[in-house]
Amino acid sequence: MSMRKALVVACVAAVVAAVAVVQLRQAGIIGSGLALRDADAGAGTATVGGPFSLIDPQGRTVTDADFRGKVMLVYFGYTHCPDVCPTDLTAMGEAVRLLGPAAGNLAPIFITLDPQRDTPGVMGEFVQLIDPQVTGLSGPPAATAAAAKAYRVYYAKVEKPDDPDGYGIDHSAYMYLMGRDGKFLTVFRHGSDPDTIAAGIKPYL
Ligand code: NI
């Protein structure tokens, strides 16, 4: 293309990027130097979080409304994840224990992006390994997709030859802290250590 046309294209791209940055900043997502890889596509509003309706390990339907009055710490992943999820979920469990009695006001939640394998029963056993306080939620694929969309979680099924079932789930990995009213407070990026997570949660309990 011509130089002039290239400049116009570059300018439009810059404006789109700037608008996305402002939206994320308004949502408090990059105010602390974080960037949501999946929220950068310039989707209309910058709200993170929202309604979900999933299935707990006892087979009961659980919605976001059931956690009102508690501070929610929400993580999306899957139990067959080789490294990302185990790292973050271990940190989640450790943060809960660091908070001690104050964690009574906290609802740590692990939502699977792989309901095909992570049935409610599998989730129930898995969360015991993280911390007994963690609620593991599964659900039909449509309910999983709706919850992920509300939290702007990117995920995609991918072929993985080293997985026993031949597939894995690529996914964004953020831990979302949601207030007693269910509204977004802050986010912890992948690899955050337990002390950082606990310290970030404490003021809201
Ligand atoms: Ni993972």
Side-chain angles (χ1 to χ4, degrees):
M1 65 182 78
S2 70
M3 190 62 163
R4 185 183 168 82
K5 195 170 177 190
L7 275 173
V8 169
V9 170
C11 285
V12 169
V15 168
V16 169
V19 168
V21 165
V22 168
Q23 287 175 341
L24 287 171
R25 192 165 284 144
Q26 284 167 347
I29 292 167
I30 59 171
S32 50
L34 303 179
L36 277 185
R37 142 187 168 204
D38 45 312
D40 62 8
T45 64
T47 51
V48 172
F52 59 76
S53 181
L54 297 161
I55 309 293
D56 80 0
Q58 282 72 43
R60 298 173 298 209
T61 297
V62 169
T63 76
D64 57 299
D66 294 325
F67 298 99
R68 278 308 107 75
K70 290 207 171 193
V71 175
M72 297 191 294
L73 184 63
V74 186
Y75 189 81
F76 289 81
Y78 69 115
T79 67
H80 283 64
C81 186
D83 42 34
V84 173
C85 293
T87 301
D88 291 339
L89 290 167
T90 300
M92 176 190 260
E94 191 56 34
V96 169
R97 291 185 285 279
L98 282 170
L99 286 164
N105 295 319
L106 182 70
I109 301 168
F110 174 34
I111 298 175
T112 182
L113 295 168
D114 184 15
Q116 187 181 330
R117 289 185 290 194
D118 293 340
T119 60
V122 168
M123 291 299 282
E125 284 179 27
F126 188 83
V127 293
Q128 292 301 314
L129 304 173
I130 308 167
D131 190 276
Q133 197 176 323
V134 178
T135 300
L137 296 178
S138 183
T144 301
K149 190 179 180 195
Y151 279 79
R152 297 178 173 247
V153 171
Y154 156 83
Y155 72 110
K157 196 170 178 175
V158 292
E159 278 183 41
K160 218 162 237 177
D162 54 337
D163 181 278
D165 303 308
Y167 78 91
I169 310 280
D170 270 359
H171 64 95
S172 51
Y174 293 91
M175 220 178 277
Y176 306 90
L177 192 67
M178 313 298 290
R180 293 170 198 275
D181 56 359
K183 299 263 167 63
F184 176 84
L185 293 174
T186 190
V187 64
F188 303 100
R189 79 181 97 187
H190 165 61
S192 295
D193 62 80
D195 291 295
T196 302
I197 297 168
I201 295 171
K202 206 166 184 179
Y204 300 106
L205 296 177

